[in-house]
Amino acid sequence: MGIFERYLSLWVGLSIIVGVVLGNFFPSVFQQVASWEYAHVNLLIAVLIWLMIYPMMIQVDFAAVKDVGKKPKGLILTLIVNWIIKPFTMAALGWLFFHFVFADFVSPETANEYIAGMILLGVAPCTAMVFVWSQLTKGDPNYTLVQVSVNDIIMIFAFAPITAFLLGVTDITVPWETLLLSVVLYVLLPLVAGYLTRRFMHNQISGFVDQLKPLSVIGLLATVLLLFGFQAETILAKPQSIFMIAIPLIIQSYGIFFIAYFAARYIRLTHNVAAPAALIGTSNFFELAVAVAISLFGLHSGAALATVVGVLVEVPVMLSLVKFANKTRHWFPPSRA
Protein backbone atom coordinates (compact mmCIF):
# COMPACT_ATOMS: atom_id res chain seq x y z
CA MET A 1 0.00 0.00 0.00
CA GLY A 2 1.51 3.30 -1.13
CA ILE A 3 1.71 6.56 0.77
CA PHE A 4 -1.50 7.84 -0.87
CA GLU A 5 -3.56 4.83 0.22
CA ARG A 6 -1.93 4.56 3.68
CA TYR A 7 -2.77 8.15 4.64
CA LEU A 8 -5.93 8.58 2.57
CA SER A 9 -7.96 9.98 5.49
CA LEU A 10 -5.36 12.73 5.97
CA TRP A 11 -5.32 13.65 2.28
CA VAL A 12 -9.13 13.78 2.16
CA GLY A 13 -9.21 16.05 5.23
CA LEU A 14 -6.65 18.37 3.67
CA SER A 15 -8.61 18.41 0.39
CA ILE A 16 -11.78 19.47 2.25
CA ILE A 17 -9.93 22.29 4.02
CA VAL A 18 -8.16 23.47 0.85
CA GLY A 19 -11.42 23.34 -1.12
CA VAL A 20 -13.28 25.48 1.43
CA VAL A 21 -10.40 27.99 1.69
CA LEU A 22 -9.94 28.33 -2.08
CA GLY A 23 -13.69 28.49 -2.67
CA ASN A 24 -13.97 31.32 -0.14
CA PHE A 25 -11.08 33.38 -1.50
CA PHE A 26 -11.54 32.63 -5.22
CA PRO A 27 -15.29 32.09 -5.64
CA SER A 28 -15.32 33.32 -9.23
CA VAL A 29 -12.95 30.55 -10.29
CA PHE A 30 -15.16 27.86 -8.80
CA GLN A 31 -18.28 29.49 -10.22
CA GLN A 32 -16.70 29.26 -13.65
CA VAL A 33 -15.84 25.58 -13.16
CA ALA A 34 -19.34 24.92 -11.79
CA SER A 35 -20.81 26.32 -15.01
CA TRP A 36 -19.17 23.57 -17.05
CA GLU A 37 -22.15 21.27 -16.91
CA TYR A 38 -24.69 19.46 -19.00
CA ALA A 39 -28.01 18.18 -17.57
CA HIS A 40 -26.82 19.28 -14.09
CA VAL A 41 -23.74 17.01 -14.39
CA ASN A 42 -20.50 18.91 -13.94
CA LEU A 43 -18.20 17.75 -16.71
CA LEU A 44 -14.95 18.21 -14.79
CA ILE A 45 -16.31 16.22 -11.85
CA ALA A 46 -17.40 13.54 -14.32
CA VAL A 47 -13.87 13.30 -15.74
CA LEU A 48 -12.35 13.01 -12.25
CA ILE A 49 -14.80 10.31 -11.20
CA TRP A 50 -14.08 8.53 -14.48
CA LEU A 51 -10.38 8.54 -13.64
CA MET A 52 -11.18 7.12 -10.21
CA ILE A 53 -13.10 4.11 -11.42
CA TYR A 54 -11.28 3.33 -14.68
CA PRO A 55 -8.54 1.30 -12.90
CA MET A 56 -11.26 -0.74 -11.15
CA MET A 57 -13.07 -1.40 -14.42
CA ILE A 58 -9.91 -2.79 -15.98
CA GLN A 59 -10.05 -5.58 -13.41
CA VAL A 60 -13.55 -6.67 -14.44
CA ASP A 61 -13.38 -10.10 -16.04
CA PHE A 62 -16.36 -10.42 -18.38
CA ALA A 63 -15.88 -14.17 -18.55
CA ALA A 64 -16.56 -14.30 -14.81
CA VAL A 65 -19.47 -11.83 -14.72
CA LYS A 66 -21.87 -14.41 -16.15
CA ASP A 67 -21.24 -16.62 -13.12
CA VAL A 68 -22.21 -13.97 -10.58
CA GLY A 69 -25.86 -15.01 -10.82
CA LYS A 70 -24.88 -18.36 -9.32
CA LYS A 71 -24.32 -16.49 -6.02
CA PRO A 72 -27.52 -14.44 -5.69
CA LYS A 73 -27.46 -13.84 -1.92
CA GLY A 74 -25.19 -10.78 -2.20
CA LEU A 75 -27.43 -9.20 -4.82
CA ILE A 76 -30.58 -9.88 -2.81
CA LEU A 77 -29.02 -8.33 0.30
CA THR A 78 -28.00 -5.23 -1.66
CA LEU A 79 -31.48 -4.75 -3.10
CA ILE A 80 -33.26 -5.22 0.24
CA VAL A 81 -31.02 -2.73 2.02
CA ASN A 82 -31.02 -0.14 -0.75
CA TRP A 83 -34.69 -0.11 -1.68
CA ILE A 84 -36.68 -1.52 1.24
CA ILE A 85 -34.73 -0.26 4.26
CA LYS A 86 -32.49 2.72 3.47
CA PRO A 87 -34.94 5.30 1.99
CA PHE A 88 -37.38 4.85 4.86
CA THR A 89 -34.82 4.95 7.68
CA MET A 90 -33.38 8.16 6.17
CA ALA A 91 -36.84 9.77 6.04
CA ALA A 92 -37.59 8.63 9.60
CA LEU A 93 -34.33 10.06 10.95
CA GLY A 94 -34.90 13.37 9.16
CA TRP A 95 -38.42 13.62 10.55
CA LEU A 96 -37.26 12.72 14.08
CA PHE A 97 -34.39 15.21 14.21
CA PHE A 98 -35.92 18.20 12.46
CA HIS A 99 -39.46 17.95 13.78
CA PHE A 100 -38.46 17.06 17.34
CA VAL A 101 -34.77 17.12 18.34
CA PHE A 102 -33.86 20.33 16.47
CA ALA A 103 -37.37 21.75 16.13
CA ASP A 104 -36.53 24.82 18.23
CA PHE A 105 -33.56 25.77 16.05
CA VAL A 106 -35.06 25.76 12.55
CA SER A 107 -38.29 26.99 11.03
CA PRO A 108 -40.83 24.37 9.85
CA GLU A 109 -40.21 25.33 6.21
CA THR A 110 -36.44 24.97 6.55
CA ALA A 111 -36.85 21.71 8.45
CA ASN A 112 -38.94 20.29 5.61
CA GLU A 113 -36.28 21.29 3.08
CA TYR A 114 -33.54 19.61 5.11
CA ILE A 115 -35.64 16.45 5.34
CA ALA A 116 -36.24 16.57 1.58
CA GLY A 117 -32.51 16.76 0.89
CA MET A 118 -31.87 13.80 3.19
CA ILE A 119 -34.59 11.81 1.44
CA LEU A 120 -32.98 12.50 -1.93
CA LEU A 121 -29.71 11.09 -0.59
CA GLY A 122 -31.47 8.06 0.85
CA VAL A 123 -33.22 7.15 -2.38
CA ALA A 124 -30.02 7.33 -4.46
CA PRO A 125 -27.64 4.45 -3.66
CA CYS A 126 -24.05 4.83 -4.80
CA THR A 127 -23.12 4.33 -8.45
CA ALA A 128 -19.57 5.56 -9.04
CA MET A 129 -17.74 5.95 -5.74
CA VAL A 130 -18.58 2.40 -4.66
CA PHE A 131 -15.94 1.16 -7.10
CA VAL A 132 -13.38 3.11 -5.07
CA TRP A 133 -14.63 1.67 -1.76
CA SER A 134 -14.76 -1.81 -3.26
CA GLN A 135 -11.18 -1.48 -4.47
CA LEU A 136 -10.00 -0.35 -1.02
CA THR A 137 -11.58 -3.45 0.58
CA LYS A 138 -10.33 -5.80 -2.17
CA GLY A 139 -13.89 -6.46 -3.26
CA ASP A 140 -14.75 -8.67 -6.21
CA PRO A 141 -14.84 -6.19 -9.14
CA ASN A 142 -17.12 -8.43 -11.21
CA TYR A 143 -19.67 -8.77 -8.45
CA THR A 144 -19.47 -5.07 -7.61
CA LEU A 145 -20.18 -4.24 -11.25
CA VAL A 146 -23.29 -6.40 -11.26
CA GLN A 147 -24.50 -4.94 -7.96
CA VAL A 148 -24.09 -1.39 -9.29
CA SER A 149 -25.66 -2.22 -12.65
CA VAL A 150 -28.76 -3.77 -11.08
CA ASN A 151 -29.10 -0.77 -8.77
CA ASP A 152 -28.86 1.62 -11.73
CA ILE A 153 -31.63 -0.19 -13.58
CA ILE A 154 -33.89 -0.16 -10.53
CA MET A 155 -33.06 3.50 -9.87
CA ILE A 156 -34.36 4.51 -13.28
CA PHE A 157 -37.81 3.16 -12.39
CA ALA A 158 -37.93 3.48 -8.59
CA PHE A 159 -36.27 6.82 -7.82
CA ALA A 160 -39.21 9.05 -8.77
CA PRO A 161 -42.09 7.11 -7.14
CA ILE A 162 -40.21 6.44 -3.87
CA THR A 163 -39.08 10.08 -3.68
CA ALA A 164 -42.61 11.29 -4.39
CA PHE A 165 -44.07 9.00 -1.75
CA LEU A 166 -41.59 10.04 0.94
CA LEU A 167 -41.90 13.73 0.15
CA GLY A 168 -45.67 13.42 0.22
CA VAL A 169 -46.23 14.88 -3.24
CA THR A 170 -47.12 13.51 -6.63
CA ASP A 171 -45.49 15.96 -9.03
CA ILE A 172 -41.79 15.20 -8.49
CA THR A 173 -39.84 16.04 -11.61
CA VAL A 174 -36.76 13.87 -11.92
CA PRO A 175 -34.04 15.13 -14.31
CA TRP A 176 -33.90 11.99 -16.41
CA GLU A 177 -31.10 13.42 -18.53
CA THR A 178 -28.99 13.73 -15.37
CA LEU A 179 -29.73 10.18 -14.30
CA LEU A 180 -29.05 8.60 -17.69
CA LEU A 181 -26.00 10.74 -18.42
CA SER A 182 -24.55 9.88 -15.01
CA VAL A 183 -24.96 6.16 -15.67
CA VAL A 184 -23.24 6.54 -19.05
CA LEU A 185 -20.38 8.66 -17.70
CA TYR A 186 -19.76 6.83 -14.44
CA VAL A 187 -20.44 3.22 -15.42
CA LEU A 188 -20.76 2.56 -19.15
CA LEU A 189 -17.81 4.52 -20.57
CA PRO A 190 -15.26 3.42 -17.93
CA LEU A 191 -16.49 -0.16 -18.34
CA VAL A 192 -15.98 -0.08 -22.12
CA ALA A 193 -12.55 1.51 -21.69
CA GLY A 194 -11.62 -1.11 -19.10
CA TYR A 195 -12.75 -3.93 -21.37
CA LEU A 196 -10.75 -2.63 -24.32
CA THR A 197 -7.69 -2.12 -22.14
CA ARG A 198 -7.95 -5.63 -20.72
CA ARG A 199 -8.41 -7.12 -24.16
CA PHE A 200 -5.38 -5.48 -25.75
CA MET A 201 -2.93 -5.56 -22.84
CA HIS A 202 -3.42 -9.19 -21.77
CA ASN A 203 -0.61 -10.22 -19.40
CA GLN A 204 0.49 -6.64 -18.70
CA ILE A 205 -2.75 -5.74 -16.89
CA SER A 206 -1.49 -6.19 -13.34
CA GLY A 207 1.47 -3.83 -13.72
CA PHE A 208 -0.64 -1.28 -15.58
CA VAL A 209 -3.26 -1.21 -12.81
CA ASP A 210 -0.55 -0.67 -10.20
CA GLN A 211 0.70 2.34 -12.17
CA LEU A 212 -2.82 3.81 -12.29
CA LYS A 213 -3.58 3.54 -8.55
CA PRO A 214 -2.13 6.99 -7.70
CA LEU A 215 -4.24 8.46 -10.50
CA SER A 216 -7.37 6.99 -8.92
CA VAL A 217 -6.59 8.52 -5.52
CA ILE A 218 -5.73 11.89 -7.07
CA GLY A 219 -9.09 11.84 -8.85
CA LEU A 220 -10.84 11.25 -5.51
CA LEU A 221 -8.99 14.10 -3.79
CA ALA A 222 -9.57 16.53 -6.65
CA THR A 223 -13.29 15.67 -6.66
CA VAL A 224 -13.55 16.34 -2.92
CA LEU A 225 -11.66 19.64 -3.29
CA LEU A 226 -13.94 20.87 -6.07
CA LEU A 227 -17.20 19.88 -4.37
CA PHE A 228 -16.28 21.79 -1.23
CA GLY A 229 -14.92 24.69 -3.24
CA PHE A 230 -18.30 24.98 -4.99
CA GLN A 231 -20.15 25.23 -1.66
CA ALA A 232 -17.49 27.03 0.42
CA GLU A 233 -19.52 30.18 1.04
CA THR A 234 -22.60 28.22 2.10
CA ILE A 235 -20.57 25.96 4.40
CA LEU A 236 -18.95 28.94 6.15
CA ALA A 237 -22.22 30.88 6.36
CA LYS A 238 -24.25 28.07 7.98
CA PRO A 239 -21.99 26.03 10.30
CA GLN A 240 -24.78 25.33 12.81
CA SER A 241 -27.08 23.99 10.10
CA ILE A 242 -24.32 21.77 8.75
CA PHE A 243 -23.78 20.31 12.21
CA MET A 244 -27.51 19.58 12.65
CA ILE A 245 -27.80 17.94 9.23
CA ALA A 246 -24.63 15.90 9.70
CA ILE A 247 -25.80 14.14 12.89
CA PRO A 248 -28.71 12.13 11.40
CA LEU A 249 -26.70 11.50 8.21
CA ILE A 250 -23.87 9.98 10.24
CA ILE A 251 -26.30 7.84 12.24
CA GLN A 252 -27.91 6.68 8.99
CA SER A 253 -24.57 5.84 7.37
CA TYR A 254 -23.24 3.71 10.21
CA GLY A 255 -26.62 2.15 10.85
CA ILE A 256 -27.15 1.03 7.24
CA PHE A 257 -23.61 -0.31 6.98
CA PHE A 258 -23.86 -2.46 10.09
CA ILE A 259 -27.31 -3.78 9.14
CA ALA A 260 -25.96 -4.93 5.77
CA TYR A 261 -22.56 -6.05 7.04
CA PHE A 262 -23.85 -8.23 9.89
CA ALA A 263 -26.59 -9.61 7.65
CA ALA A 264 -23.86 -10.55 5.15
CA ARG A 265 -21.96 -12.28 7.93
CA TYR A 266 -25.11 -14.11 9.04
CA ILE A 267 -25.76 -15.50 5.55
CA ARG A 268 -22.03 -16.33 5.21
CA LEU A 269 -21.08 -14.23 2.22
CA THR A 270 -17.41 -14.04 1.39
CA HIS A 271 -15.74 -10.77 2.38
CA ASN A 272 -15.07 -9.64 -1.20
CA VAL A 273 -18.86 -9.69 -1.78
CA ALA A 274 -20.03 -8.66 1.71
CA ALA A 275 -17.94 -5.48 1.96
CA PRO A 276 -19.10 -3.94 -1.36
CA ALA A 277 -22.70 -5.00 -0.62
CA ALA A 278 -22.64 -3.08 2.66
CA LEU A 279 -20.79 -0.08 1.23
CA ILE A 280 -23.16 0.38 -1.72
CA GLY A 281 -26.09 1.06 0.61
CA THR A 282 -24.03 3.22 2.93
CA SER A 283 -22.68 5.46 0.18
CA ASN A 284 -24.93 7.78 -1.82
CA PHE A 285 -25.24 8.85 -5.45
CA PHE A 286 -24.58 12.43 -4.36
CA GLU A 287 -24.26 13.76 -7.93
CA LEU A 288 -27.88 12.84 -8.63
CA ALA A 289 -29.13 13.94 -5.20
CA VAL A 290 -27.53 17.39 -5.55
CA ALA A 291 -28.88 17.82 -9.08
CA VAL A 292 -32.45 16.89 -8.11
CA ALA A 293 -32.35 19.10 -4.99
CA ILE A 294 -31.28 22.09 -7.08
CA SER A 295 -33.92 21.34 -9.73
CA LEU A 296 -36.76 20.98 -7.23
CA PHE A 297 -35.90 23.47 -4.50
CA GLY A 298 -33.22 25.84 -5.85
CA LEU A 299 -29.46 26.25 -5.54
CA HIS A 300 -29.59 28.00 -2.16
CA SER A 301 -32.33 25.88 -0.61
CA GLY A 302 -32.08 23.81 2.54
CA ALA A 303 -32.50 20.68 0.43
CA ALA A 304 -29.47 21.54 -1.69
CA LEU A 305 -27.45 22.26 1.46
CA ALA A 306 -28.42 18.89 2.96
CA THR A 307 -27.18 17.02 -0.11
CA VAL A 308 -23.86 18.88 0.03
CA VAL A 309 -23.51 18.03 3.72
CA GLY A 310 -24.05 14.45 2.60
CA VAL A 311 -20.81 14.70 0.64
CA LEU A 312 -19.06 16.27 3.65
CA VAL A 313 -20.15 13.36 5.86
CA GLU A 314 -19.76 10.58 3.35
CA VAL A 315 -16.03 10.58 2.56
CA PRO A 316 -14.64 10.40 6.13
CA VAL A 317 -17.40 8.01 7.22
CA MET A 318 -16.78 5.70 4.26
CA LEU A 319 -13.04 5.70 4.91
CA SER A 320 -13.65 4.69 8.53
CA LEU A 321 -15.96 1.88 7.39
CA VAL A 322 -13.43 0.69 4.81
CA LYS A 323 -10.88 0.46 7.61
CA PHE A 324 -13.35 -1.46 9.79
CA ALA A 325 -14.20 -3.85 6.95
CA ASN A 326 -10.54 -4.58 6.27
CA LYS A 327 -9.86 -5.29 9.95
CA THR A 328 -12.78 -7.72 10.19
CA ARG A 329 -12.01 -9.70 7.05
CA HIS A 330 -11.46 -12.80 9.22
CA TRP A 331 -15.15 -12.74 10.23
CA PHE A 332 -16.12 -14.11 6.82
CA PRO A 333 -15.50 -17.36 4.95
CA PRO A 334 -12.40 -17.31 2.73
CA SER A 335 -13.00 -16.18 -0.84
CA ARG A 336 -12.79 -18.81 -3.51
CA ALA A 337 -10.49 -18.22 -6.47
Side-chain angles (χ1 to χ4, degrees), residues 11 17 73 111 149 151 159 182 282 285 302:
W11 308 135
I17 294 171
K73 290 192 293 184
S149 300
N151 267 301
F159 183 88
S182 296
T282 308
F285 191 176

Side-chain angles (χ1 to χ4, degrees), residues 106-318:
V106 295
S107 67
E109 294 78 12
T110 302
N112 287 334
E113 289 190 358
Y114 289 163
I115 295 170
M118 293 176 60
I119 288 172
L120 291 173
L121 287 169
V123 186
C126 188
T127 292
M129 290 294 290
V130 72
F131 291 107
V132 178
W133 313 131
S134 177
Q135 172 77 3
L136 293 175
T137 57
K138 298 182 180 179
D140 183 337
N142 304 316
Y143 210 101
T144 301
L145 173 67
V146 173
Q147 288 172 311
V148 170
S149 300
V150 172
N151 267 301
D152 287 340
I153 294 171
I154 293 176
M155 195 184 310
I156 292 174
F157 299 99
F159 183 88
I162 293 177
T163 302
F165 173 76
L166 291 175
L167 292 178
V169 297
T170 57
D171 58 348
I172 292 295
T173 302
V174 176
W176 298 109
E177 287 184 347
T178 301
L179 178 56
L180 296 176
L181 181 61
S182 296
V183 171
V184 171
L185 288 176
Y186 304 143
V187 179
L188 182 59
L189 288 181
L191 180 62
V192 171
Y195 168 75
L196 294 176
T197 304
R198 188 180 183 90
R199 180 174 180 179
F200 289 108
M201 296 197 70
H202 300 294
N203 296 332
Q204 299 175 327
I205 286 294
S206 180
F208 183 60
V209 171
D210 289 339
Q211 294 175 1
L212 290 177
K213 281 184 178 179
L215 182 66
S216 179
V217 177
I218 291 171
L220 169 62
L221 299 180
T223 301
V224 171
L225 188 152
L226 283 176
L227 286 172
F228 285 92
F230 292 156
Q231 298 292 333
E233 294 178 336
T234 302
I235 291 172
L236 293 176
K238 298 181 177 181
Q240 183 181 9
S241 297
I242 291 169
F243 176 77
M244 289 189 293
I245 296 169
I247 291 176
L249 289 179
I250 291 172
I251 294 173
Q252 164 81 358
S253 297
Y254 283 110
I256 288 297
F257 174 84
F258 286 116
I259 288 172
Y261 199 65
F262 284 105
R265 186 185 182 194
Y266 178 77
I267 62 178
R268 296 187 59 76
L269 294 180
T270 57
H271 187 267
N272 63 350
V273 172
L279 293 169
I280 286 175
T282 308
S283 188
N284 300 306
F285 191 176
F286 57 80
E287 301 90 353
L288 177 63
V290 172
V292 175
I294 293 172
S295 298
L296 295 179
F297 301 99
L299 180 61
H300 301 291
S301 65
L305 178 62
T307 56
V308 172
V309 175
V311 184
L312 172 65
V313 168
E314 177 168 322
V315 175
V317 166
M318 295 302 294

Side-chain angles (χ1 to χ4, degrees), residues 60-70 141-143 145-146 191:
V60 173
D61 182 1
F62 280 84
V65 167
K66 67 179 185 298
D67 295 327
V68 170
K70 297 177 182 178
N142 304 316
Y143 210 101
L145 173 67
V146 173
L191 180 62

Side-chain angles (χ1 to χ4, degrees), residues 72-94:
K73 290 192 293 184
L75 280 174
I76 294 172
L77 174 62
T78 298
L79 297 180
I80 290 174
V81 171
N82 284 357
W83 299 105
I84 298 179
I85 298 176
K86 179 183 176 182
F88 301 95
T89 56
M90 183 73 93
L93 283 170

